[in-house]
Amino acid sequence: FAHADSQQPQTEGVTIPFRERRDPLPGYGVFHTIVNSLTTGARLPLTDRLEWMTTLSWGSAHVLRHAPPGLGETDTNSRDLSVESTLEWSTGPALRVLGGLYLLRTNLSQQIDLRAVLGEGAFRDRQGSLGLFGDVEWALTRRLSLTTGLRYERDTQRRDGSIAGTAIVLPI
């Protein structure tokens, strides 16, 4: 498990006179970021030549951007979950065959306040990924091996939302 909580300005600057190291009109945003993640794995020998392995990962992030009113205040939340499972078969040092499956799901929601220039926005993103893969490693000699592999990947992405002001609606 890992947890991080940080806050930092979007940018820092200085203006003349540089010796004072100040920017009297910063007007920039400040990001507050909280991230949590958890990864675990399992390994199980099925026979003396066949092994199953799985890795599971979960994460969440919450990002706030504090800015002058109407100039980009945001609230973003993201969650992701992934799993990778493999089977590895080996005849010993001469041949190794590995096949596996990878799945990823990510969800993100965001609200943004741009009322001073455009309007307010709300978005939702969903992404998914499926991967099937395999590789073969053949030891030609003790110091030389040949490895080949294939991967099939299918990714999806969907975004819903818009920025709406008094005179315009922008679907994004």
Side-chain angles (χ1 to χ4, degrees), residues 60-64 75-79 107-111:
S60 72
H62 184 204
V63 179
L64 294 170
D75 186 351
T76 304
N77 289 286
S78 177
R79 301 237 185 298
N107 292 305
L108 179 136
S109 64
Q110 181 183 52
Q111 295 178 331

Side-chain angles (χ1 to χ4, degrees), residues 100-102 130-134 150-153:
L101 167 74
Y102 173 78
L130 163 69
L132 300 170
F133 57 92
L150 292 172
R151 182 177 183 93
Y152 168 80
E153 183 102 17

Side-chain angles (χ1 to χ4, degrees), residues 77-151:
N77 289 286
S78 177
R79 301 237 185 298
D80 63 82
L81 178 66
S82 69
V83 62
E84 180 175 284
S85 249
T86 61
L87 280 173
E88 183 175 323
W89 176 73
S90 175
T91 64
L95 183 65
R96 183 191 61 82
V97 178
L98 180 123
L101 167 74
Y102 173 78
L103 298 168
L104 170 67
R105 183 73 165 153
T106 302
N107 292 305
L108 179 136
S109 64
Q110 181 183 52
Q111 295 178 331
I112 186 165
D113 178 2
L114 292 169
R115 285 178 290 164
V117 292
L118 198 56
E120 293 182 290
F123 307 94
R124 182 168 178 217
D125 292 317
R126 292 170 301 285
Q127 297 178 10
S129 183
L130 163 69
L132 300 170
F133 57 92
D135 71 58
V136 176
E137 183 178 352
W138 179 28
L140 302 173
T141 69
R142 286 187 313 172
R143 296 180 55 190
L144 179 65
S145 64
L146 175 66
T147 303
T148 187
L150 292 172
R151 182 177 183 93

